[in-house]
Amino acid sequence: MKHYLTINDIDSLPKWVEEARIIKENPYHFQNLGKNKTLCLLFFNNSLRTRLSTQKAALHLGIQVMTMNFGKEGWTLEFGEGTVMNQGTSEHIKEAAHVVSQYCDILAIRAFAGLKNKEKDEAEEILNGFVKYASIPIVNMESSTAHPLQALADAITLAEHRPKSRLKVVLSWAPHPKALPHAVANSFVKMMKLQDAEFVITHPEGYELDSKITQGCQIEHNQDKALQNADFVYVKNWSSYSDYGKVFHQDASWMMTQEKLGNAQFMHCLPVRRNVVVEDTVLDGPKSLVIEQANNRTFAAQIVLKKLLESL
Amino acid sequence: MKHYLTINDIDSLPKWVEEARIIKENPYHFQNLGKNKTLCLLFFNNSLRTRLSTQKAALHLGIQVMTMNFGKEGWTLEFGEGTVMNQGTSEHIKEAAHVVSQYCDILAIRAFAGLKNKEKDEAEEILNGFVKYASIPIVNMESSTAHPLQALADAITLAEHRPKSRLKVVLSWAPHPKALPHAVANSFVKMMKLQDAEFVITHPEGYELDSKITQGCQIEHNQDKALQNADFVYVKNWSSYSDYGKVFHQDASWMMTQEKLGNAQFMHCLPVRRNVVVEDTVLDGPKSLVIEQANNRTFAAQIVLKKLLESL
Amino acid sequence: MKHYLTINDIDSLPKWVEEARIIKENPYHFQNLGKNKTLCLLFFNNSLRTRLSTQKAALHLGIQVMTMNFGKEGWTLEFGEGTVMNQGTSEHIKEAAHVVSQYCDILAIRAFAGLKNKEKDEAEEILNGFVKYASIPIVNMESSTAHPLQALADAITLAEHRPKSRLKVVLSWAPHPKALPHAVANSFVKMMKLQDAEFVITHPEGYELDSKITQGCQIEHNQDKALQNADFVYVKNWSSYSDYGKVFHQDASWMMTQEKLGNAQFMHCLPVRRNVVVEDTVLDGPKSLVIEQANNRTFAAQIVLKKLLESL
């Protein structure tokens, strides 16, 4: 593996999940692996879980960490080719990526979708700019279109809690007051396509995800029907993809409730808005896996960092 | 000890002070104690001494540190029960505290009083929210109503400089252009109640501290009278407690001067506004202990972290 | 060496450059030297290269690092003597410097020129304030008037790429939309005065640097003439020094081009505005040394930190 940019960079999801679960049993077992290696975390957006869990994973492996809030502690990057840089951008991605590559061994980047311009977001100019010009492995800590560390943590969580036999997983859209990106949903869908499971996506009409990603997936606009006999319900808001970044409605009837959930286990990537996305009863009840999903972020990051260290 | 939230979490102040003084002689003596342990510092407010001395204490003990400016690098937390989170808060303390607990072994939190709403400040929603929902020990790095790391450092400083026989300590209010919290004064008072010493609090009328805290303490509104025969004078501004958060006056006659101080030793928690709170002559003179108080912040934090590590 | 404040703190530039080149071959060779030592980085201004390379250098030497964005995470310092601090400043440099000295072994500071008041900038109140009141070695990570870590990295880069025999180096002013400080140019000039080389400074009239620094240097206002037979061309913008901080013009004809550069090697401290300061062809061509200069920032910092550790 050269980089960890999307869930497709995983060569065998079952093997990675198995290995992550072994690491979780003894997190410091490989703490000599990262000796004299440095991970740099560049945040173009805010973060809680990702910031702490990725650092923790590095510490488990004995990797030194340098963290930088790029926009607040640095300056604005230029991505255009041939641009006359006499406006707001102070440094070109070409220089920034080359230079940062010299100060660390692995580079992790968080850069969210702006949700104003679909083409620009899908170009992933920050993440792909670093991939293009850096000389070291890059880890995606959530980009415009993907959050593969989250999806890997979700896969670990599913493996820990799945029933022995059959498996039905539902991804259910939820209302939210703000326009949110598609990254978490995209990566979850991609990850589910690698699972031996029945998988249904449910959302109001107009909230279709990128069809290139959901291709082959079962989409059901009737939430009740979708939720029938579900083992796991993954709830997440996203803004419109076709009418890019728009919030059509915040229909409260789509909020996840204990009644709708039934016996299914509840998943969400967090942060979650209580009583908007999901009611308190669900989060405070025994079927919620959200805290364990967050815990598994450490081990998802750790398996990724371990694989990258081994390939250095 | 489960947490270090107030000075009352200390089981024996003299023993802690003695132990801190021994650690100070050889700060790296216990540097294997923190192996494979992680301390997370969450700052909801700015900091200089606390930020650096707490990190330094952790490094002395071999503890790994992750620092986060919660408001600037994260988002706004919700504390209400049953709130429909469709406004400005993005994550509930329930999730945040549970999640962060999984990424570290000890959690230290700084969250100042807002000084707008006494009831809200006294509820200590941030600190107590983490205490309620986190599963790991919490260290108070200054909350709305208490700054027990400062008071412990002050106790160490007093022990290092106290005369053999009698001891008189005065806490003297000082003018300040801004409304300041009561945390430092509260914890100093609580700490002094554990000392074998004469202790007098002096302030203008209207600046009474919380009577639940000063109960049993000698209060003298005549500063000159209070200062007579003092060995140590601890100077600190605070805003009104009864008319919560108000600044009635900034009467310069309450500023500490060399003349008033006489032979007493001068203490202040820093940062201090020169020639407003205290005149230059005092700070630049041989009787000032402020630099040593700041130095002892490291050893106060270190004894607290050591106790918590031992109880893990 | 007591501090590293300007290039003049280097006792023998050739020896330091030689030693840095040896360290570069085996960066972790001295990783026990910094055991139980702590470096504190205080940033009063933003940074990318300096932030990461100085941390990396410390990690190579086994030094623990604490980083603080002073203005954003702390408060405003007072520098005046005898000031009544009833306005915007919360802590005097006297206390701040003394206190921080107790939490680390070496202190590195970045504090740029404000470019409003020449006298104030040249007084270097932040850097010199720490030098005056701190009790530990100070490293200049770019102050109002000097950037000696950059100039040392440049000296290493020159040594790595210089032809065996003759050497001509040109410092060429370039246009820029914003008013920039003189620190990089000043330190480069001072460093070049220690080199056995022909050295020419070229800039439009009105952009003369401080004559106390350029004294004895060849200054040529005709850029073409200056560039003739150059081996290295160091390009950098600076604002007017005589009409302090002003930008007279941004004459695009002073931009560095491949045609002007000829066979010379190109240097710049970065960040650089493409097609304003220098055209793409140069930066993307084989004669550009900018990435290597940035790489050498790590080894410049490392030799400085090593010397300071050895003198503790």
Side-chain angles (χ1 to χ4, degrees):
Chain A
M1 181 175 54
K2 209 173 160 188
H3 302 291
Y4 186 68
L5 305 177
T6 81
I7 208 80
N8 301 121
D9 289 316
I10 299 173
D11 55 5
S12 163
L13 183 59
K15 282 187 191 165
W16 283 44
V17 166
E18 182 55 26
E19 200 174 335
R21 293 177 70 181
I22 292 167
I23 286 172
K24 189 174 174 179
E25 296 293 314
N26 193 358
Y28 283 101
H29 184 67
F30 296 99
Q31 74 181 125
N32 293 319
L33 198 64
K35 188 173 156 63
N36 294 349
K37 293 289 180 286
T38 306
L39 167 68
C40 185
L41 308 183
L42 297 186
F43 289 96
F44 290 82
N45 297 93
N46 282 7
S47 172
L48 170 60
R49 269 154 290 278
T50 298
R51 182 184 298 273
L52 299 179
S53 66
T54 311
Q55 281 187 74
K56 191 62 190 297
L59 295 175
H60 281 156
L61 292 165
I63 304 173
Q64 297 160 331
V65 184
M66 301 194 289
T67 297
M68 179 171 171
N69 299 312
F70 205 95
K72 292 168 192 165
E73 299 177 335
W75 33 75
T76 310
L77 293 177
E78 175 63 42
F79 297 92
E81 274 295 324
T83 315
V84 176
M85 288 170 57
N86 57 3
Q87 302 297 318
T89 56
S90 300
E91 181 156 19
H92 201 281
I93 181 68
K94 290 185 190 185
E95 275 74 52
H98 272 134
V99 162
V100 173
S101 301
Q102 301 179 117
Y103 303 144
C104 53
D105 301 284
I106 302 174
L107 187 55
I109 292 163
R110 162 162 284 201
F112 288 172
L115 292 178
K116 303 288 181 198
N117 180 330
K118 186 193 285 194
E119 200 175 279
K120 197 168 165 248
D121 284 351
E122 299 201 336
E124 297 274 17
E125 61 179 16
I126 295 181
L127 184 72
N128 285 343
F130 277 98
V131 169
K132 187 169 179 185
Y133 296 111
S135 50
I136 57 173
I138 308 288
V139 175
N140 182 349
M141 296 196 296
E142 188 174 342
S143 67
S144 295
T145 67
H147 195 356
L149 285 173
Q150 181 64 51
L152 179 52
D154 297 338
I156 299 167
T157 311
L158 280 172
E160 290 175 329
H161 295 272
R162 71 182 293 169
K164 287 283 177 288
S165 49
R166 55 178 280 288
L167 179 65
K168 180 180 175 184
V169 177
V170 179
L171 171 61
S172 181
W173 181 91
H176 196 283
K178 287 171 62 181
L180 295 192
H182 311 91
V184 168
N186 287 347
S187 290
F188 187 75
V189 170
K190 283 187 165 191
M191 184 274 288
M192 282 310 302
K193 285 169 142 185
L194 303 174
Q195 297 278 354
D196 177 25
E198 183 186 348
F199 178 52
V200 183
I201 304 171
T202 182
H203 54 69
E205 293 192 36
Y207 279 103
E208 283 71 21
L209 291 163
D210 180 357
S211 61
K212 292 187 294 299
I213 290 171
T214 58
Q215 199 174 19
C217 294
Q218 192 181 335
I219 297 169
E220 170 57 63
H221 291 130
N222 181 325
Q223 192 190 32
D224 288 339
K225 208 169 152 191
L227 292 173
Q228 276 169 16
N229 301 315
D231 297 297
F232 295 90
V233 179
Y234 199 104
V235 173
K236 182 76 188 81
N237 168 268
W238 56 85
S239 56
S240 173
Y241 178 75
S242 52
D243 200 353
Y244 193 68
K246 292 288 182 307
V247 176
F248 291 130
H249 62 73
Q250 305 173 27
D251 185 352
S253 76
W254 276 82
M255 181 177 78
M256 188 53 52
T257 62
Q258 187 56 56
E259 193 186 342
K260 288 187 203 174
L261 193 65
N263 284 319
Q265 298 187 79
F266 174 79
M267 298 178 78
H268 190 282
C269 61
L270 304 181
V272 67
R273 288 175 175 249
R274 285 174 165 251
N275 304 312
V276 175
V277 168
V278 53
E279 66 175 10
D280 280 340
T281 325
V282 174
L283 283 167
D284 298 332
K287 294 292 190 177
S288 171
L289 299 176
V290 298
I291 303 301
E292 198 51 37
Q293 284 174 269
N295 189 29
N296 283 330
R297 289 294 307 277
T298 300
F299 307 102
Q302 195 166 337
I303 188 75
V304 166
L305 292 172
K306 181 171 175 286
K307 298 275 182 193
L308 291 173
L309 280 177
E310 289 165 348
S311 73
L312 284 182
Chain B
M1 180 176 53
K2 208 172 162 190
H3 303 291
Y4 186 67
L5 305 177
T6 82
I7 208 80
N8 301 120
D9 289 316
I10 299 174
D11 54 6
S12 163
L13 183 60
K15 282 188 189 165
W16 283 44
V17 166
E18 182 55 27
E19 199 174 339
R21 293 178 70 181
I22 291 167
I23 286 172
K24 190 175 175 179
E25 296 293 313
N26 193 357
Y28 283 101
H29 184 68
F30 296 98
Q31 74 182 125
N32 293 320
L33 198 64
K35 189 175 156 60
N36 294 349
K37 293 289 180 285
T38 305
L39 167 67
C40 185
L41 308 183
L42 296 187
F43 289 96
F44 290 83
N45 296 92
N46 282 7
S47 173
L48 169 59
R49 269 154 290 277
T50 299
R51 182 183 298 273
L52 298 179
S53 66
T54 312
Q55 281 187 73
K56 190 62 191 296
L59 295 174
H60 281 156
L61 292 165
I63 305 173
Q64 298 160 329
V65 185
M66 302 195 289
T67 297
M68 180 172 172
N69 299 312
F70 205 95
K72 292 168 192 164
E73 300 177 335
W75 34 74
T76 308
L77 293 178
E78 175 64 42
F79 297 92
E81 275 294 324
T83 316
V84 176
M85 289 169 58
N86 58 3
Q87 302 297 319
T89 56
S90 300
E91 180 156 19
H92 201 280
I93 182 67
K94 290 186 188 182
E95 275 72 53
H98 272 133
V99 162
V100 173
S101 301
Q102 301 180 115
Y103 303 145
C104 53
D105 300 285
I106 302 174
L107 186 56
I109 292 163
R110 162 162 285 201
F112 288 173
L115 293 178
K116 304 289 180 198
N117 181 329
K118 185 192 286 196
E119 201 175 277
K120 198 169 166 246
D121 284 350
E122 298 200 336
E124 297 274 18
E125 59 179 17
I126 295 181
L127 184 72
N128 285 343
F130 277 97
V131 169
K132 186 167 179 186
Y133 296 111
S135 51
I136 58 174
I138 308 288
V139 175
N140 182 349
M141 296 196 295
E142 187 173 344
S143 67
S144 294
T145 67
H147 195 356
L149 285 172
Q150 180 64 52
L152 179 52
D154 297 337
I156 299 168
T157 311
L158 281 172
E160 291 175 327
H161 295 272
R162 71 182 293 169
K164 286 281 176 290
S165 50
R166 53 179 282 288
L167 179 65
K168 179 179 174 183
V169 177
V170 179
L171 171 61
S172 181
W173 182 90
H176 196 284
K178 288 171 63 182
L180 295 191
H182 311 90
V184 168
N186 287 346
S187 290
F188 187 76
V189 170
K190 282 186 166 191
M191 184 273 288
M192 281 310 302
K193 284 171 142 184
L194 303 174
Q195 297 279 353
D196 177 25
E198 182 185 350
F199 178 52
V200 183
I201 304 170
T202 182
H203 53 71
E205 293 192 37
Y207 280 104
E208 283 71 21
L209 290 163
D210 180 357
S211 61
K212 293 186 295 299
I213 290 171
T214 58
Q215 199 173 20
C217 294
Q218 191 182 337
I219 296 168
E220 170 57 63
H221 291 130
N222 181 325
Q223 192 190 32
D224 288 338
K225 206 168 154 192
L227 293 174
Q228 277 168 16
N229 300 316
D231 297 297
F232 295 89
V233 179
Y234 199 103
V235 173
K236 182 75 188 83
N237 168 268
W238 57 85
S239 56
S240 173
Y241 178 75
S242 52
D243 199 354
Y244 193 67
K246 291 288 183 304
V247 176
F248 290 131
H249 63 74
Q250 306 173 27
D251 185 351
S253 76
W254 276 82
M255 181 177 78
M256 188 53 51
T257 61
Q258 187 55 57
E259 193 187 342
K260 288 187 203 172
L261 193 65
N263 284 318
Q265 299 188 79
F266 174 80
M267 298 180 77
H268 190 282
C269 61
L270 304 183
V272 67
R273 288 174 175 249
R274 285 175 165 251
N275 304 311
V276 174
V277 168
V278 53
E279 66 175 9
D280 280 339
T281 324
V282 174
L283 283 167
D284 298 332
K287 294 292 191 176
S288 171
L289 299 177
V290 298
I291 303 301
E292 198 51 37
Q293 284 175 269
N295 189 30
N296 284 329
R297 289 294 308 277
T298 300
F299 306 103
Q302 196 165 337
I303 189 74
V304 167
L305 292 173
K306 181 170 176 284
K307 298 275 181 193
L308 291 173
L309 280 177
E310 289 166 347
S311 74
L312 284 182
Chain C
M1 181 175 53
K2 208 173 160 188
H3 302 292
Y4 186 66
L5 305 177
T6 81
I7 207 81
N8 301 120
D9 289 316
I10 299 174
D11 55 6
S12 163
L13 183 59
K15 283 187 189 166
W16 283 44
V17 165
E18 182 55 26
E19 200 174 336
R21 293 177 70 182
I22 292 167
I23 285 173
K24 191 175 173 178
E25 296 293 313
N26 193 358
Y28 282 101
H29 184 67
F30 296 98
Q31 75 181 124
N32 293 320
L33 198 64
K35 188 174 155 63
N36 294 350
K37 293 289 180 286
T38 305
L39 168 68
C40 185
L41 307 183
L42 296 187
F43 289 97
F44 290 82
N45 296 95
N46 282 8
S47 173
L48 170 58
R49 269 154 290 278
T50 298
R51 183 183 297 273
L52 299 179
S53 65
T54 311
Q55 280 187 72
K56 191 62 191 296
L59 296 175
H60 280 156
L61 292 165
I63 305 173
Q64 297 160 331
V65 185
M66 302 195 288
T67 297
M68 180 171 172
N69 299 312
F70 205 95
K72 293 168 192 165
E73 298 177 337
W75 33 74
T76 309
L77 293 178
E78 174 64 42
F79 297 92
E81 274 295 323
T83 315
V84 176
M85 289 170 58
N86 57 4
Q87 302 297 318
T89 56
S90 299
E91 180 155 21
H92 200 282
I93 181 68
K94 291 186 189 183
E95 276 73 53
H98 272 133
V99 162
V100 173
S101 301
Q102 301 180 117
Y103 302 144
C104 54
D105 300 284
I106 302 174
L107 186 56
I109 292 163
R110 162 162 284 201
F112 288 173
L115 292 178
K116 303 289 181 198
N117 181 330
K118 186 192 285 194
E119 201 175 279
K120 199 170 166 241
D121 283 351
E122 298 200 337
E124 297 275 18
E125 59 180 17
I126 295 181
L127 184 72
N128 285 343
F130 277 98
V131 169
K132 186 167 180 186
Y133 296 111
S135 50
I136 57 173
I138 308 288
V139 175
N140 182 349
M141 297 196 295
E142 188 173 342
S143 67
S144 295
T145 67
H147 195 355
L149 285 173
Q150 180 64 51
L152 179 52
D154 296 337
I156 299 168
T157 311
L158 280 173
E160 291 175 328
H161 295 272
R162 72 181 293 168
K164 286 281 177 288
S165 50
R166 53 177 283 288
L167 179 66
K168 179 178 173 183
V169 178
V170 179
L171 171 61
S172 181
W173 182 91
H176 196 284
K178 287 171 64 182
L180 295 192
H182 310 91
V184 168
N186 287 347
S187 289
F188 186 76
V189 170
K190 283 187 166 192
M191 184 274 288
M192 281 311 302
K193 285 170 140 184
L194 303 174
Q195 296 278 354
D196 177 24
E198 183 186 349
F199 177 53
V200 183
I201 304 171
T202 182
H203 54 70
E205 292 192 38
Y207 279 103
E208 283 72 21
L209 290 164
D210 180 356
S211 61
K212 293 186 294 299
I213 289 171
T214 58
Q215 199 174 18
C217 293
Q218 192 182 334
I219 296 168
E220 170 57 62
H221 292 129
N222 181 325
Q223 193 190 32
D224 287 339
K225 208 169 151 191
L227 293 173
Q228 277 169 15
N229 300 315
D231 297 299
F232 295 89
V233 179
Y234 199 105
V235 174
K236 182 75 188 82
N237 168 269
W238 57 85
S239 56
S240 173
Y241 178 75
S242 52
D243 199 353
Y244 193 67
K246 291 288 182 303
V247 175
F248 290 131
H249 63 73
Q250 306 173 26
D251 185 352
S253 76
W254 276 82
M255 181 176 77
M256 188 51 52
T257 62
Q258 186 56 56
E259 194 187 340
K260 288 188 204 173
L261 193 65
N263 285 318
Q265 299 188 78
F266 174 80
M267 298 180 76
H268 189 282
C269 61
L270 304 182
V272 67
R273 288 175 176 248
R274 285 174 165 251
N275 304 311
V276 174
V277 168
V278 54
E279 65 175 10
D280 281 339
T281 325
V282 174
L283 283 167
D284 297 333
K287 294 291 190 177
S288 171
L289 300 177
V290 298
I291 303 302
E292 198 51 37
Q293 284 173 269
N295 189 29
N296 283 330
R297 289 293 308 276
T298 300
F299 306 102
Q302 196 166 337
I303 188 75
V304 166
L305 292 173
K306 181 170 174 286
K307 298 275 182 193
L308 291 173
L309 280 178
E310 288 166 347
S311 74
L312 284 181

